[in-house]
Every structure is written in structure tokens, then in C-alpha cells.
Amino acid sequence: MSAIEINIHSKTYPAIDQVGVHLAIKNLKLSIKSGEFVCLVGPSGSGKTTLLNIIAKLDKDYVGEIAVGRYNAQSKIGCIFQNPRLLPWRTVRENIELVLDTSQSLAIVDELLEVMQLTDSQQVYPERLSLGMSRRVSIIRAFAIEPDVLLMDEPFVSLDAPTARQVRELLLKLWQNRPHTVLFVTHDLREAITLADRLIFLSARPMSVVSEIVVTIPRAERHNESVVEVFRQRLLNDYPEIKQLL
Amino acid sequence: MLPKRTLPVLSLVVLLVVWQALASYINSGLLPAPATVATVFWLEFMTGQLPYHLGVTLLRLLVSFSIAMLLGCAIGIALGRNKKMDAFFDNWLVISLNVPALVTIILCYVWFGLIESAAILAVVVNKLPNVIVTIREGTRRLDQDLLEMASSFNFSKHKTLLHVIWPQLHPFVMGATRSGLALIWKIILVVELLGRSNGMGYQLHLFFQLFDVASILAYTIAFVAVIQLIEVMILKPLDKKSLRWRR
């Protein structure tokens, strides 16, 4: 588990006409507690993916500081991207085994395949999988490295509702088995309420924090959709500023 | 309906029949009949002349091809990944692509003498730019998403190259291999004709001076057969193995 401190003064992109710059993120401050499940909610195109890329150290071109973990100790970061990003020339199992450290035991792969109900498909090449299955493989892949921090970028988008719910439940099961810090990007408020300890609402470009809201529903009651819906309505009434972000 | 398999065989038979008919009609030493060519082939084979010269040429093919592919892949990947380097070397590449093969061969012989390494160098220099251009194109089209995935999971350079980059380059490497084989063996014959005292090119030159068309055809057939064998025995199985994941 690792806490995350984010303090980004600015993140810019070169504008399309090559003159001037495009401000993507401005004065974004966040602190995430160790073991916390945080959902980042904001309009699409606001720069949430950019933020995750910065935290994952894929993007180093910004002004500010990110601290993951304590005393600069190496924190393992697992990424689950919007697209599964599996290697098509490796089977499901090979895709997962490839990311493991040599010191890690392969037992975790069997265990995760079992939980995600993919044991029968482990020798299949990704092009033969449905999107829902590919998503599950990419979730397994991120869990397999036993990360301290898990970054998820709308991993359930474009799944049909029952499949999304199923994968969501499996994800929670994995998370509860082995707690770690999670940053989960979504623009689906219901999904966010179902999953998160805390919601962070982000504005459109340039992105910054609009409000932070703790989800007070006990986890045991969140499978009840009407409870989630009541909470959602109350949020929208109490915080009118978040309405335009959805 | 004929089964699909018999069609390739049938086409060869038709070719032989047409050849035979033409040869009988013309009835001259300048177009020998298939049977005559077969006899020459057999004689040349038994004396060991044909296997020797064919072997020499194939060895040159193997050496120059390997050097050109290895260098070409390395440089092509480097140029595809590094925009500044690419901008600098692009002109060199275009120029070397357009230097006629014959010029490179002559220059190599003039500068380094009529020696084996000059012959190999001439072939490599001719082939290299093609490999570089093909591999550079492949490298430019690498999937950025997969590369990000690799770096987010802390893949080592070696792991990324082997499991993420190489499989994506594979079709381009196979393309360069095929066009390379076809190009190289044609150039090698010219190289041998101009400055070597063995190999297919040298032999063909000799037969040309004697107007010995039967021998020319016999050697040609042997060479084409070998190249075809390489395709069927090596390249096709490689294709099949590496593309087994496709739907």
C-alpha cells in the first residue's frame, strides 16, 4: 500500500497550430491515503488520462511533483488502460506471465484466472476474446504484479451493463482480498459511488479539483442499486456544481 | 472441376509443353528442348561443376544477406525511433536508394580490388537501403499503446524489444527478406560476372561467350529451384509459426 501526493502546477500540450500551448491541468492538488479507493469523476476530454499517465510515470513533461509511497521507496504501480492493451501474439496466460517478476510465483496467475473465471480461456489468443474477457485479462495482469497502487482508466466503458457489473464485483473482490491504493477514472457517477471510498470531481480543461466527497454508504449495501441512486440524487442536490461535470 | 492442388502442377506441365512445341518449331541450338536442357543439367551435376558454382553463389548470398538484414534492422529501428537521426540520414538513404547497382559494384571493385570482400560489400550496399526503409516504416507504425503498456509494467529494454517490438516488425522483416532474396541473387550474378572467377554469374558469362543456351537454362533452373526451396522450406513455415495468433 502506498499513499499518493499529487501537486501539479501545470501540464501543457503544444497546440495544434504549433503556436502557443494548450493548458491541460492547472494547480491540481490531491492527496490519496494509503489503501484508499478513489474515483476521479470528470467530463471526457478533461485530462484524466493525462493525469494517470503522469502518475504512472509515462508522461514526465509537466511542472509539479508526484510522490508515491514513502521515502522514495519503489512503489509498484499497476495500470489498467481504457483499452485492454494485450499483446495479440501471446496467449492470455502468456500475457499475464510476461509482466511478473522472475522472483514471483506463478500460483498467483492460476488464482487470479480462477477468480476472474478465465481458467478455461488461458491458452486463447486475445483476438478471439470478447471485449469483456479482454478487460478481465488486463485487470488480472495489473493485479498479478501485486501492485501498491492501481491506476484504472475507465476500464468498464463500452461493456454492456450486466458484464460491467460482473467485472466490477470481481474487481472489488480482488481489491478486498489484497487491499492497495486505487485511483479509478470514470464518468459514470453510479459506478463511482458503487466502488469508491471517496469521489473527486474534476473540472473540464484546464483540469483542477472541483470537490471531494466521501461515500458514506457501507460497502455491504452498495450492491443495492436504489441505495446508490438515493445517494446520487442527494449529491446532485447538495453539490449543484458537479452537475455540469457529468 | 479440377482439385485446387493439381492446378500448380498443371501449369508447369503446360509450360513444358509450350516450351517443347516452340523448340521443335524453331529447331535451333538457340532454344534447346526441355530434354536437352535436362541432359545438360544432369551432366553438369555429375561432374560437380553445377553444385560447386551454385554452392559458391549461395554462400555469398547467405553472407551478404545476413549482413544486410542485421545492419538494416538495427539502423531501420534506430531511424524509426529517433526523429532527429531520421531527419539527418533521410537524404543519405534516398541517395543510396537511387545509386544504380552496377555503379556500386564497379566502385567497390575499383576501390577495393577484385576480391571477395569487395564483392560481398557491393551486394550489401545495394540491399541495405531497402531493408532500412522497410524496417523504418515498420518501426514508425509501432503501437504506442503497447509500448506505454510495456513501460508502465517496467519491461526491460530487452523484454520490450523481444516481446513488444519484434512481433510487430515481423511482417516487415519477412517482406524485406522476400524482396531481399530476389534482389540479392540478381545482383550477385552481376557481381560475379564482373569480378569473380567462380559462382553462377561467372559460369553464365562463360556460357554466354560460347552461346551455350542449354547450359544457361540448366543453371537458371537449378537456381530458381533452390530459391523456391528456400521459400517453401524456410520462409513459409516461419510465416505460419509467427502468425498463428491471428484470427
Side-chain angles (χ1 to χ4, degrees):
Chain A
M1 284 196 273
S2 285
I4 311 173
E5 292 293 332
I6 300 162
N7 185 2
I8 300 174
H9 304 303
S10 68
K11 160 72 194 169
T12 53
Y13 281 116
I16 295 165
D17 52 10
Q18 299 290 322
V19 196
V21 287
H22 207 87
L23 192 57
I25 300 176
K26 196 183 177 199
N27 290 334
L28 185 105
K29 271 191 194 172
L30 275 179
S31 60
I32 318 278
K33 288 195 284 281
S34 183
E36 195 178 17
F37 196 130
V38 171
C39 278
L40 303 172
V41 188
S44 57
S46 59
K48 297 176 304 248
T49 301
T50 307
L51 177 61
L52 288 196
N53 283 344
I54 289 175
I55 299 170
K57 301 191 181 96
L58 294 175
D59 188 341
K60 291 173 181 149
D61 181 24
Y62 62 93
V63 184
E65 305 92 41
I66 307 277
V68 181
R70 264 168 266 158
Y71 308 116
N72 274 341
Q74 272 284 323
S75 297
K76 269 204 248 176
I77 299 179
C79 288
I80 299 172
F81 302 96
Q82 220 167 77
N83 298 317
R85 301 197 189 180
L86 304 175
L87 297 174
W89 39 88
R90 310 202 114 224
T91 61
V92 167
R93 196 185 176 88
E94 290 168 343
N95 259 289
I96 299 163
E97 286 180 356
L98 190 64
V99 303
L100 298 181
D101 279 338
T102 38
S103 58
Q104 266 182 294
S105 122
L106 295 180
I108 191 168
V109 180
D110 292 312
E111 188 191 318
L112 289 169
L113 283 168
E114 183 74 41
V115 176
M116 280 291 185
Q117 300 160 13
L118 281 168
T119 308
D120 294 339
S121 310
Q122 53 179 314
Q123 301 304 343
V124 174
Y125 286 101
E127 288 197 359
R128 292 177 193 274
L129 297 177
S130 69
L131 184 59
M133 291 165 98
S134 303
R135 289 260 158 85
R136 280 183 274 158
V137 177
S138 84
I139 291 172
I140 295 178
R141 183 175 61 184
F143 272 90
I145 62 168
E146 308 193 294
D148 304 300
V149 175
L150 196 59
L151 305 176
M152 305 180 81
D153 190 1
E154 305 202 44
F156 306 137
V157 85
S158 76
L159 287 184
D160 57 272
T163 312
R165 188 167 55 208
Q166 181 206 11
V167 184
R168 214 177 284 138
E169 277 163 13
L170 292 173
L171 167 71
L172 280 176
K173 201 163 148 192
L174 286 179
W175 178 64
Q176 279 157 352
N177 287 346
R178 201 187 147 273
H180 48 267
T181 316
V182 181
L183 267 183
F184 187 104
V185 163
T186 180
H187 58 247
D188 180 346
L189 187 51
R190 285 189 193 87
E191 176 173 86
I193 295 168
T194 315
L195 291 171
D197 294 321
R198 185 157 57 115
L199 309 176
I200 293 174
F201 290 90
L202 299 164
S203 69
R205 286 190 176 199
M207 191 170 81
S208 58
V209 177
V210 175
S211 44
E212 304 185 26
I213 296 158
V214 174
V215 181
T216 48
I217 315 172
R219 289 213 169 260
E221 288 170 31
R222 294 194 192 178
H223 61 271
N224 187 339
E225 281 176 29
S226 56
V227 175
V228 171
E229 186 56 30
V230 169
F231 189 88
R232 190 178 87 98
Q233 285 305 333
R234 215 181 64 219
L235 271 190
L236 294 176
N237 287 332
D238 295 354
Y239 301 88
E241 72 272 17
I242 64 176
K243 236 179 221 165
Q244 57 183 5
L245 302 177
L246 298 170
Chain B
M1 262 307 273
L2 284 163
K4 214 171 148 194
R5 269 199 197 155
T6 59
L7 280 179
V9 180
L10 185 71
S11 79
L12 278 181
V13 173
V14 169
L15 188 69
L16 279 177
V17 169
V18 171
W19 178 4
Q20 176 66 52
L22 262 176
S24 318
Y25 177 71
I26 296 172
N27 194 18
S28 130
L30 296 183
L31 182 59
T36 321
V37 174
T39 317
V40 173
F41 182 91
W42 183 243
L43 287 175
E44 287 283 321
F45 191 82
M46 290 314 283
T47 58
Q49 282 291 303
L50 192 143
Y52 168 70
H53 291 289
L54 190 60
V56 166
T57 299
L58 284 177
L59 189 63
R60 286 190 187 120
L61 183 93
L62 184 74
V63 173
S64 49
F65 174 80
S66 310
I67 297 175
M69 285 305 287
L70 281 175
L71 270 179
C73 285
I75 299 174
I77 291 175
L79 293 187
R81 305 277 290 159
N82 187 329
K83 285 207 173 91
K84 273 189 189 155
M85 230 160 93
D86 188 35
F88 183 82
F89 285 110
D90 192 47
N91 276 333
W92 291 26
L93 208 54
V94 173
I95 292 169
S96 59
L97 267 174
N98 289 307
V99 174
L102 194 55
V103 174
T104 347
I105 298 168
I106 293 172
L107 286 180
C108 279
Y109 278 146
V110 170
W111 287 339
F112 306 109
L114 295 176
I115 53 173
E116 193 63 42
S117 46
I120 298 288
L121 182 68
V123 182
V124 171
V125 169
N126 269 306
K127 173 58 190 159
L128 193 60
N130 293 65
V131 183
I132 294 175
V133 168
T134 313
I135 301 299
R136 183 182 66 175
E137 198 53 43
T139 310
R140 280 177 182 161
R141 290 197 204 166
L142 286 180
D143 189 333
Q144 210 55 40
D145 282 1
L146 290 182
L147 289 174
E148 268 184 22
M149 185 279 292
S151 97
S152 83
F153 282 101
N154 281 323
F155 281 19
S156 65
K157 275 207 160 133
H158 174 248
K159 207 177 189 180
T160 308
L161 186 68
L162 193 66
H163 297 296
V164 184
I165 295 179
W166 183 253
Q168 295 184 66
L169 287 182
H170 185 270
F172 294 89
V173 173
M174 288 308 280
T177 301
R178 290 217 162 82
S179 71
L181 272 182
L183 185 75
I184 283 185
W185 83 258
K186 285 166 191 163
I187 293 173
I188 279 186
L189 296 198
V190 181
V191 169
E192 289 173 344
L193 184 146
L194 286 177
R196 298 276 77 210
S197 52
N198 53 15
M200 298 284 293
Y202 169 78
Q203 282 296 93
L204 289 173
H205 186 52
L206 218 62
F207 297 139
F208 169 51
Q209 285 165 342
L210 303 170
F211 267 54
D212 183 354
V213 178
S215 296
I216 290 177
L217 288 177
Y219 272 69
T220 309
I221 288 169
F223 209 95
V224 170
V226 168
I227 299 293
Q228 198 57 37
L229 222 61
I230 293 176
E231 167 77 28
V232 174
M233 307 291 284
I234 302 174
L235 298 185
K236 280 259 171 69
L238 267 181
D239 263 353
K240 220 172 172 182
K241 181 168 176 282
S242 61
L243 296 180
R244 67 199 183 285
W245 52 272
R246 280 203 200 279
R247 266 197 303 171

